[in-house]
Amino acid sequence: MSTTNTDGVDEEISRDEAEELLEELERRRSLKGLAALAVAAIGILFSLFQLALAARSFTFTVFPGFEIGALGLAVPAWTVSLQLLQANAIHVAFALVLTFLMFPGSMGDGIVVRSLGRVADGVVDSVGGENPLARVVEGLRSLFSWAVVDRHRSRVTPFDIVAIGAAFLSAFYFLTEFREIRDMRVFGLMSGRPITEVYGFLEPVLGGVPFVSEYSYAMILGVVGVLLVLEATRRTLGLPLMLIVASFIVYARWGFLISEGTPFIGLLAIPELTWPSIVQNLWYNTENGVFGIPVTVSVSFIYIFILFGSFLEMSGAGQWFIDLAYAATGNRKGGPAKASILASGFMGTISGSSIANTVTTGAFTIPLMKRSGYSPEFSGAVESSASSGGQILPPVMGAAAFLMVQYTATPFREIIILATIPAVVFFFGVWVMVHLKAVQEGIGGVDDADIQTASLGEHLRTGWFYLVPILLLLYYLIIERLSVSRSAWFTLVALVALITFIAAYSEETRAFLLGSLAVIFGVDLLSYALTGVALTGALGGAGGAGVPISEAIAVIGPRIGWYAILAGAVTMLTHADVESKVLDLNPKVQETADAAGDRIGRDLGQSQSARVGTFVVKSMEAGARTAVPVVIAVAAAGIIPGVISVSGLGPNLTSLLLALSGGSIVVMLLVTAVASIILGMGMPTTVTYIILISMLATPLVEFGIPLLAAHLFILYFGVIADITPPVAVAAYAASGVAKSDPFQTGVKAFSLSLNKAIVPFAFVLAPGIVLLREKENAAELPIREQYRVVNFADLAELSYSVPEILIPVVGVFLGVIALGATVIGTLYGDVRRSERAAFALSSLLLMAPGLLSTAVFDLLGLAGVSLSVNALLLDVVLRGVGFALFAVLVAKNRRESADRREAKRVTAG
């Protein structure tokens, strides 16, 4: 739809404009023709590879093979068995190839190209345009521009082709020469064969070159591979991150030059490392480096969840969630902004990308907020703030949550449990602020002329199936306690089965569809009962003794999703004109089907089976596109903990930070928060999390902060960086949609998310807020293992749960209301400046009294004064003081507001 403002100017950007804005923000190419087809094909292969890993782990069958005894024909099965390092290398190689296809190396506006241009212009000005030297220089400039520069983000350059070839060679080496790689772990990287031995035809050309004969082929590939990762990082994530990662590599080689006797800095001195040892640890290792824990997590968890989100988005769930949010809140006071919070939270937890969610969801929500009366800056701030919060909202959260699973050795279901309350507090806090802003500005709900949506009940009746995959995911994770990857795989199969079945369902096809499902299920059941194997196995001659019906049902019952997919496909093929009354796939699916039909001369856009097939293929391609920056981010960021590990820097870095903090937990937390925000500006949350947990998690834990709370603390401030000026990438993306001032949008987004900055201090100082409890034998355990997630017995223990969980949790919820009154300046009515300061104090006392009391004790300690108090009792008392102050302020504001309304009524009468 399109809305217009009072001047008749179109406010809402179209979906194509939103896509164009997103491509511009992410500096992606807009490819057509063969290049676009290559991206799609490679993206689909990438997704198929990851699906095979999710379904069968590292050993899977590419081709099942078959045997026809009557003809004496036997085709063997093709089974692939990968090592973890090989799987990780293929994963990164796919991302590298797609990066060099999707992101330009230069658009002509970089430092290098501009500098070369100035040099060339200087030569021409000096010797004249007709001089042979000037012609050579101009020719070199043209050649460089042709080989590297893509000014309009529309073509793949020769340099990209070379980089793609190098990425392919690297992956191929891992697949074909893994035994040599394994031997080099023992004998060193230089024990490998030189390149002239691997490629004999190069011997006459390069055999006498000292460098070539000195270094092994593995060494050369390792150096090239690390450089490719750095270049891909520059293209996808920007020059600053590439320089940070590169500086750590330089430090690994020359950090030994730092003198150990230098105060403070001497703690950063490391042993001397050679290039071969550095490259071996950064490129041929799964414990650290490029293929370390972050990439392992991406292979095992992150990609499959990104793919799940892509399938859900392409199924039409995105627009349904937006409509659901408007159906639930659209008519309330400030309804458009509240609907934006719900919709962005729904989609943000699935996509995990603040920028993408801001643009795609904001294209619909921001214009409606503006029309209802919110300013463009406030509208963009609401959308970007809520979209950034999606990364901390269970059940999916962002990629960093899966890294937390691996780094802390904690089941994902426990990560969900501890992250839920802080996430709800954040969204509740933003909700409160937009409500108070609506009260302040007199903003009502959505005008019926602006948006037509069904009632909440009707909306749920027609799209209930979009909720099923999310509920299934929670069931597998929490009830069945399956691994993260298996849960995601089963949920993804269920989602495809559900969409296929609903696409094939109509009044006319209902009997045929259900009958097909019954027949397929029954035939396989009969095959197991008679032969003990599935029908496909029995036809191939693999059958044997049958099994009892109960056992057969237990085997094939979990396969009901695959049977539903097959039954739906059969139904759609036999009933070409079937149309679902409730399924509304993403418009991109229809566009892709129409475009494919135009190429082959068939009307695929009108075929339900073609649309569903396109939905599956388009989801896999879109998932790969979304995953590429994430994979590059974790590959690059993995270099930093790799350097810290191989250099032995970790303990020294911890000692340095503890010394700089002066033993103050408040100082340490503030340093961590500021470092997270600064480092996270313009960078993915995943990268910020990996870098900072490598450097700061251990010092935080040394202060007695629970390990999980420390990791969550770093994650929260990494997310805040997305909406913190002066970079504020998500807020600036929202300003492009809202047509607002970028900096002011960022300022307002940060103020709306202020509770996201206070809540982390609250839960690290009061772990009950994130449902963590100190173990009974904590004193006997390593410091990282002293806390656990609470259980029902803990909640039933009122002497513990009331003071350490209930009171702090109620406190943070009340605190965000006080914070809303502070930031917006309204509660029931206007809040005076002095009262806003009092509300701010009550908010701090309600949410994080430990921050204030600890700071006071630290100052007293500097003055030589030592006090001993009951920390829990002090916490409860300070929250009580905050509550009393809050209650007084609320009552006063309510009374004054009522008096003002009464005075206006009398005056009007």
Side-chain angles (χ1 to χ4, degrees):
M1 69 166 241
S2 178
T3 59
T4 56
N5 61 20
T6 53
D7 298 325
V9 180
D10 188 48
E11 282 188 341
E12 182 173 346
I13 66 174
S14 67
R15 187 167 50 80
D16 290 339
E17 289 173 325
E19 289 290 330
E20 186 177 342
L21 174 62
L22 189 57
E23 285 182 353
E24 184 178 342
L25 288 168
E26 297 180 342
R27 293 176 65 91
R28 292 178 185 249
R29 285 184 171 122
S30 179
L31 298 174
K32 302 198 180 332
L34 185 61
L37 184 62
V39 170
I42 296 170
I44 293 168
L45 284 175
F46 193 6
S47 292
L48 287 173
F49 171 71
Q50 290 298 141
L51 287 172
L53 291 182
R56 300 293 182 184
S57 189
F58 295 137
T59 300
F60 53 89
T61 300
V62 178
F63 181 75
F66 60 88
E67 180 179 349
I68 304 177
L71 300 178
L73 177 64
V75 178
W78 180 18
T79 301
V80 175
S81 183
L82 299 175
Q83 300 295 319
L84 177 60
L85 181 59
Q86 292 174 310
N88 289 5
I90 295 171
H91 184 77
V92 172
F94 266 120
L96 288 173
V97 170
L98 287 172
T99 295
F100 297 127
L101 286 173
M102 293 166 52
F103 295 87
S106 173
M107 294 175 59
D109 54 357
I111 296 174
V112 174
V113 175
R114 290 202 308 268
S115 299
L116 291 176
R118 283 194 292 268
V119 170
D121 291 338
V123 171
V124 172
D125 292 340
S126 299
V127 302
E130 298 301 322
N131 188 283
L133 177 60
R135 293 180 180 179
V136 170
V137 169
E138 284 294 341
L140 290 174
R141 175 158 60 176
S142 298
L143 178 64
F144 180 81
S145 179
W146 169 78
V148 176
V149 178
D150 177 18
R151 298 185 185 278
H152 304 292
R153 295 185 287 115
S154 59
R155 75 182 185 96
V156 179
T157 66
F159 176 72
D160 297 324
I161 301 299
V162 172
I164 289 170
F168 174 80
L169 280 179
S170 174
F172 187 75
Y173 180 73
F174 277 102
L175 286 175
T176 58
E177 304 295 341
F178 190 74
R179 178 175 295 179
E180 182 176 84
I181 294 173
R182 194 165 46 199
D183 292 340
M184 286 188 296
R185 291 181 180 177
V186 178
F187 301 108
L189 196 61
M190 299 308 296
S191 65
R193 296 167 298 160
I195 189 172
T196 52
E197 184 177 334
V198 177
Y199 300 108
F201 64 89
L202 293 176
E203 175 65 32
V205 181
L206 302 176
V209 180
F211 178 86
V212 174
S213 59
E214 180 181 354
Y215 291 100
S216 66
Y217 180 53
M219 174 70 180
I220 295 172
L221 279 182
V223 171
V224 171
V226 172
L227 291 176
L228 289 177
V229 170
L230 291 176
E231 169 61 8
T233 302
R234 184 188 67 83
R235 294 190 185 200
T236 58
L237 307 171
L239 184 62
L241 178 59
M242 188 272 279
L243 293 176
I244 290 172
V245 175
S247 67
F248 269 83
I249 298 175
V250 172
Y251 169 76
R253 179 65 183 88
W254 287 291
F256 72 94
L257 297 175
I258 299 174
S259 173
E260 293 184 4
T262 307
F264 288 114
I265 302 300
L267 291 171
L268 299 180
I270 59 174
E272 183 176 358
L273 301 172
T274 63
W275 280 123
S277 66
I278 293 172
V279 172
Q280 182 168 352
N281 278 279
L282 294 185
W283 191 250
Y284 296 101
N285 200 334
T286 56
E287 295 178 3
N288 48 59
V290 171
F291 305 123
I293 290 176
V295 167
T296 299
V297 174
S298 180
V299 171
S300 303
F301 307 147
I302 296 175
Y303 193 100
I304 191 67
F305 271 93
I306 289 175
L307 202 55
F308 168 68
S310 178
F311 270 87
L312 199 57
E313 172 65 19
M314 288 298 159
S315 71
Q319 187 61 50
W320 184 82
F321 278 128
I322 293 175
D323 293 341
L324 178 66
Y326 277 96
T329 65
N331 294 323
R332 298 174 181 268
K333 185 182 291 293
K338 293 174 180 176
S340 172
I341 294 170
L342 290 179
S344 299
F346 280 138
M347 293 311 300
T349 188
I350 295 169
S351 71
S353 171
S354 300
I355 299 175
N357 192 37
T358 296
V359 173
T360 54
T361 309
F364 184 84
T365 61
I366 289 175
L368 290 174
M369 282 189 275
K370 290 167 63 178
R371 282 187 61 78
S372 68
Y374 290 107
S375 69
E377 287 74 19
F378 193 86
S379 301
V382 171
E383 178 57 48
S384 58
S385 180
S387 292
S388 68
Q391 296 182 76
I392 58 173
L393 180 65
V396 179
M397 304 173 68
F402 303 110
L403 290 164
M404 195 184 302
V405 170
Q406 195 76 5
Y407 278 117
T408 64
T410 303
F412 190 67
R413 60 182 177 275
E414 293 189 4
I415 301 292
I416 291 175
I417 291 170
L418 71 93
T420 296
I421 291 177
V424 173
V425 169
F426 164 68
F427 280 97
F428 175 72
V430 180
W431 181 287
V432 166
M433 289 195 189
V434 301
H435 176 80
L436 296 181
K437 190 68 174 179
V439 171
Q440 186 181 71
E441 302 289 341
I443 297 172
V446 183
D447 193 328
D448 290 340
D450 288 335
I451 181 172
Q452 298 292 331
T453 185
S455 65
L456 181 60
E458 183 179 346
H459 199 68
L460 287 170
R461 282 194 300 274
T462 57
W464 57 269
F465 51 88
Y466 288 122
L467 296 173
V468 171
I470 298 176
L471 296 176
L472 269 178
L473 179 62
L474 291 174
Y475 170 78
Y476 288 134
L477 285 170
I478 298 175
I479 306 299
E480 289 291 326
R481 302 197 171 197
L482 299 180
S483 67
V484 177
S485 57
R486 298 302 289 166
S487 298
W489 166 249
F490 288 142
T491 305
L492 187 58
V493 171
L495 172 60
V496 175
L498 197 60
I499 297 303
T500 305
F501 197 82
I502 291 173
Y505 184 91
S506 70
E507 292 294 331
E508 294 78 16
T509 62
R510 178 173 56 188
F512 184 89
L513 176 63
L514 296 176
S516 299
L517 179 60
V519 168
I520 294 170
F521 185 88
V523 167
D524 230 17
L525 178 64
L526 184 62
S527 177
Y528 268 97
L530 296 177
T531 67
V533 296
L535 179 63
T536 52
L539 294 177
V547 298
I549 291 292
S550 58
E551 185 177 333
I553 292 176
V555 171
I556 69 172
R559 300 178 185 175
I560 188 66
W562 293 105
Y563 299 142
I565 292 173
L566 183 56
V570 170
T571 302
M572 286 184 288
L573 290 173
T574 55
H575 297 74
D577 58 346
V578 63
E579 288 189 15
S580 172
K581 294 182 178 180
V582 295
L583 183 63
D584 189 13
L585 296 172
N586 190 294
K588 292 180 183 178
V589 174
Q590 185 67 47
E591 292 173 5
T592 304
D594 289 336
D598 291 340
R599 291 193 191 99
I600 64 174
R602 296 182 59 186
D603 194 5
L604 297 180
Q606 298 303 312
S607 168
Q608 187 77 318
S609 59
R611 282 195 293 263
V612 172
T614 304
F615 152 71
V616 173
V617 172
K618 186 66 178 176
S619 298
M620 289 194 289
E621 179 201 350
R625 287 174 176 269
T626 303
V628 165
V630 178
V631 177
I632 297 300
V634 296
I639 291 175
I640 294 175
V643 169
I644 292 174
S645 174
V646 73
S647 64
L649 175 64
N652 290 351
L653 188 61
T654 298
S655 300
L656 175 62
L657 292 170
L658 291 174
L660 291 175
S661 68
S664 170
I665 188 173
V666 174
V667 173
M668 190 67 218
L669 289 173
L670 289 174
V671 167
T672 303
V674 172
S676 300
I677 291 176
I678 293 176
L679 186 62
M681 289 182 179
M683 294 188 190
T685 306
T686 308
V687 175
T688 307
Y689 173 80
I690 293 171
I691 294 174
L692 289 177
I693 61 104
S694 302
M695 298 188 293
L696 299 175
T698 299
L700 288 174
V701 173
E702 291 290 333
F703 272 105
I705 295 173
L707 177 65
L708 290 171
H711 279 249
L712 200 61
F713 182 90
I714 292 172
L715 173 59
Y716 263 65
F717 280 99
V719 171
I720 290 173
D722 283 349
I723 42 87
T724 302
V727 180
V729 288
Y732 289 177
S735 73
V737 179
K739 307 295 189 294
S740 61
D741 178 82
F743 185 79
Q744 288 301 319
T745 303
V747 170
K748 291 184 182 296
F750 180 78
S751 65
L752 287 174
S753 299
L754 199 56
N755 76 81
K756 198 193 297 178
I758 300 176
V759 168
F761 287 97
F763 64 64
V764 296
L765 297 172
I769 293 174
V770 287
L771 303 179
L772 290 176
R773 184 180 188 180
E774 192 174 38
K775 295 178 181 177
E776 291 77 3
N777 60 337
E780 305 169 5
L781 297 173
I783 194 168
R784 295 169 62 92
E785 301 175 10
Q786 293 179 351
Y787 285 82
R788 61 175 173 79
V789 176
V790 301
N791 52 40
F792 287 110
D794 296 317
L795 297 177
E797 186 183 335
L798 298 183
S799 61
Y800 161 76
S801 61
V802 171
E804 298 202 35
I805 297 179
L806 181 61
I807 291 177
V809 168
V810 172
V812 293
F813 275 99
L814 293 176
V816 296
I817 298 176
L819 185 64
T822 304
V823 173
I824 304 299
T826 298
L827 193 59
Y828 292 99
D830 291 340
V831 179
R832 289 191 289 270
R833 189 178 298 273
S834 60
E835 292 174 340
R836 291 173 78 166
F839 267 118
L841 177 60
S842 71
S843 176
L844 181 60
L845 290 173
L846 283 166
M847 297 177 73
L851 185 63
L852 184 61
S853 62
T854 304
V856 171
F857 289 147
D858 287 343
L859 292 174
L860 291 175
L862 291 175
V865 179
S866 178
L867 295 176
S868 178
V869 297
N870 186 306
L872 180 59
L873 179 61
L874 180 61
D875 183 87
V876 173
V877 169
L878 289 177
R879 291 185 197 273
V881 172
F883 176 74
L885 179 59
F886 174 72
V888 169
L889 292 170
V890 169
K892 183 175 182 293
N893 183 266
R894 184 173 185 176
R895 184 178 64 254
E896 291 177 350
S897 178
D899 291 343
R900 283 194 293 267
R901 287 196 301 269
E902 180 63 21
K904 288 182 180 180
R905 188 184 66 79
V906 172
T907 303

